[in-house]
Amino acid sequence: MQVRRNGAGSPLLVEEVMGYEGFSGNETILYHLHSPCRLDQVGGFRPIERDRWVPDAHVHRLADANPIEPGGEAVSGRRLLMWNSDIEVSIAKPTEPGGGFHRNGEGDEVLYIHRGGGVLRTVFGRVPFRERDYVVIPRGTTYAFELAEGEQFWLCFHTPGEIETPNRYRNRYGQLLEHAPFSQRDFHPPGELETCDERGEFALTVRVRGGHQDYVLDRHPFDVVGWDGYVWPYTFNADDFEPRAGRFHLPPPAHQTFQGQNFVICTFAPRMLDWDPESVPLPYHHSNIQSEEVMFYAAGDYAARKGVDVGAITLHPSGLPHGPQPGAVEKALGAKATDELAIMWDTFRPLELTSLWREHDKPEYALSWNPDRSPVEA
Ligand SMILES: [Fe+2]
C-alpha cells in the first residue's frame, strides 16, 4: 500500500517484507526511505574455511575457554569451536566493534554474553545487551556493534534453521503459557529506531552460500522509518529464566530455553533442588544415545563436576555414558539449592571440533570418573 513519511506530497516509502518460509512463516514489514536493494559496489567473496581437528580418540572432553586470547572484531573475530550441519558454536572476545555492517543471509544467530555488553545496532533499532543476555538475531537483520568498556566473552551460535522458543511453552494462539519458564515480559525488543538518511560509503558484509560477500552501499542501511511484525532481534537474560525443580530429579528438558534444527539450548539456572528425603539432587548417569551434550559453565559451582570451573566447556559425545564424578553424589545428598548457572546445547547429530578446542583441550578429563586414574579430585 502507499505509505508516506510526511503525508500527501512526500515521497513514497519503500516497503520490504522480511519473512520466513516463503510468505507463510513469521514476517515483519519495514518501511525504508530508499530501496534496500541499492548497491554502489560489489566486492569480493570469501569462502568460510573451517580448521577441523580430528581427535585421535573418542572420549569425554573438557576445554578451558578462559585462556583464549581476546582480540578481533565482533563478527569477524568469532573463533569457531565446533560445528555440524545444524549448528556452529564460536567463541568471541572482541576488542573492536568492527567498522562495517553485517547481515547473516543463511542463518539465525544467538549470542550468549558471558562477559561484557554493548548495543547491537540494527535496522529494527537499538538492542542494548548485557552480561547473561541471550541476543537472538534473525537472519536477514542488518546490524553493527557498539561495545561497552571492558572484557567481552561471548558464545556465538549460528544455525541454518530457526531459533525458536519451545512449542510446548505456548498455547494454541502462540502466547507463552503461565507455567513456561519465561514470559513475554522477559523478551526485550529493539528500542530506539535509528533512521539515517545519509549518503556516504558504507561497507556491508553478508554471510551467504558458505562464505562472506562484501558490498559497498552509497546510502546508510539504517533508513527504516517504521516496522511491524513478528520478526525482530531481541534479548532474554538468563537471570530471567524461571527454573523448575521436582520432588525428584527433572531431566534437562526442564531447562530448555530455545529449540533449533536438531538441537536445543538450555539454561541451568540457580534453583532449589529435589526435595524428597530420598532424592539424589544430581543428574543420574545417562547415555543420551542420540545426542552430543555440550555444557558451558557460566557461574557458581557445578556440584556434579569437580575441576570444572567457570569458563570451562565439557563435551559428552554420543556413544558414551556420563554422570556425576566419583564422590559427587555422596557430597550432594541433602543439598537444598544450587547456585550453578550453565548453558547447555545438545545436538542430535555428531559435532566436529576445531583446532581451537585442541589448543584448550584437557585430556585428563576422559579418566576423571576413575579415582585410581584421575588427577581430578573427587
Ligand atoms: Fe548430561
Side-chain angles (χ1 to χ4, degrees):
M1 62 180 283
Q2 295 177 23
V3 181
R4 299 171 195 273
R5 191 179 193 185
N6 296 311
S10 68
L12 276 174
L13 295 173
V14 181
E15 197 173 39
E16 178 196 8
V17 173
M18 190 174 142
Y20 286 81
E21 293 178 29
F23 295 87
S24 303
N26 282 343
E27 67 172 33
T28 279
I29 302 176
L30 303 104
Y31 293 91
H32 295 265
L33 294 171
H34 306 279
S35 167
C37 312
R38 177 172 171 147
L39 300 175
D40 189 41
Q41 299 165 46
V42 178
F45 178 83
R46 288 162 284 120
I48 293 170
E49 288 174 12
R50 298 184 175 93
D51 186 10
R52 175 189 277 131
W53 172 46
V54 181
D56 57 8
H58 183 80
V59 291
H60 294 316
R61 293 192 177 277
L62 166 67
D64 182 1
N66 291 301
I68 295 174
E69 284 294 321
E73 299 180 352
V75 178
S76 65
R78 297 175 192 177
R79 298 188 63 194
L80 186 64
L81 185 67
M82 55 178 60
W83 86 96
N84 66 20
S85 54
D86 302 309
I87 190 170
E88 293 175 13
V89 186
S90 306
I91 303 286
K93 297 185 176 182
T95 49
E96 303 290 332
F101 295 88
H102 298 272
R103 184 188 303 150
N104 193 330
E106 59 179 5
D108 286 3
E109 296 180 357
V110 182
L111 311 178
Y112 176 75
I113 310 300
H114 176 53
R115 300 271 183 264
V119 178
L120 180 73
R121 299 175 58 208
T122 80
V123 72
F124 298 94
R126 293 170 68 81
V127 182
F129 61 93
R130 62 190 169 98
E131 206 161 284
R132 302 190 181 184
D133 269 345
Y134 292 98
V135 185
V136 179
I137 312 171
R139 73 198 59 208
T141 301
T142 304
Y143 65 80
F145 279 95
E146 288 174 7
L147 300 182
E149 291 285 313
E151 182 192 0
Q152 305 281 344
F153 181 166
W154 310 343
L155 300 176
C156 309
F157 301 91
H158 158 100
T159 176
E162 290 180 46
I163 293 290
E164 302 169 314
T165 49
N167 295 343
R168 68 177 189 280
Y169 295 164
R170 295 187 175 276
N171 68 18
R172 64 195 166 97
Y173 302 101
Q175 186 175 13
L176 287 164
L177 294 160
E178 269 189 85
H179 56 276
F182 34 64
S183 86
Q184 60 266 23
R185 293 180 190 175
D186 299 320
F187 292 81
H188 306 288
E192 179 195 355
L193 189 61
E194 288 187 58
T195 307
C196 306
D197 189 11
E198 288 172 28
R199 269 188 181 279
E201 194 172 291
F202 304 96
L204 170 68
T205 302
V206 182
R207 176 172 170 169
V208 68
R209 300 291 189 274
H212 292 100
Q213 172 70 54
D214 293 328
Y215 304 95
V216 178
L217 313 179
D218 61 352
R219 304 238 38 138
H220 198 295
F222 295 170
D223 70 340
V224 167
V225 300
W227 59 270
D228 64 353
Y230 284 74
V231 177
W232 29 271
Y234 63 89
T235 61
F236 168 71
N237 194 275
D239 285 343
D240 290 329
F241 188 89
E242 297 301 328
R244 296 291 177 257
R247 189 159 69 89
F248 290 102
H249 182 70
L250 295 183
H255 310 288
Q256 191 179 349
T257 309
F258 299 107
Q259 65 186 20
Q261 169 185 294
N262 295 319
F263 69 91
V264 298
I265 298 176
C266 300
T267 307
F268 287 70
R271 63 192 180 279
M272 303 306 289
L273 289 169
D274 322 359
W275 54 80
D276 190 276
E278 296 297 312
S279 69
V280 174
L282 285 184
Y284 32 69
H285 282 74
H286 47 286
S287 288
N288 30 354
I289 51 180
Q290 206 180 9
S291 65
E292 313 262 300
E293 191 180 295
V294 192
M295 185 86 97
F296 175 78
Y297 301 86
D301 180 27
Y302 191 73
R305 311 237 171 283
K306 289 301 162 197
V308 173
D309 297 321
V310 169
I313 305 173
T314 53
L315 166 61
H316 298 141
S318 50
L320 302 173
H322 67 277
Q325 283 160 321
V329 169
E330 288 76 6
K331 262 191 194 169
L333 294 180
K336 299 280 184 259
T338 175
D339 65 352
E340 73 175 17
L341 176 66
I343 310 305
M344 188 184 82
W345 53 104
D346 273 18
T347 69
F348 302 152
R349 294 192 237 222
L351 286 159
E352 305 274 3
L353 297 175
T354 66
S355 61
L356 182 64
W357 187 292
R358 183 189 59 207
E359 287 166 29
H360 300 280
D361 188 58
K362 305 281 183 196
E364 64 273 19
Y365 183 67
L367 300 177
S368 64
W369 282 265
N370 183 343
D372 299 333
R373 300 281 295 166
S374 169
V376 177
E377 270 189 38

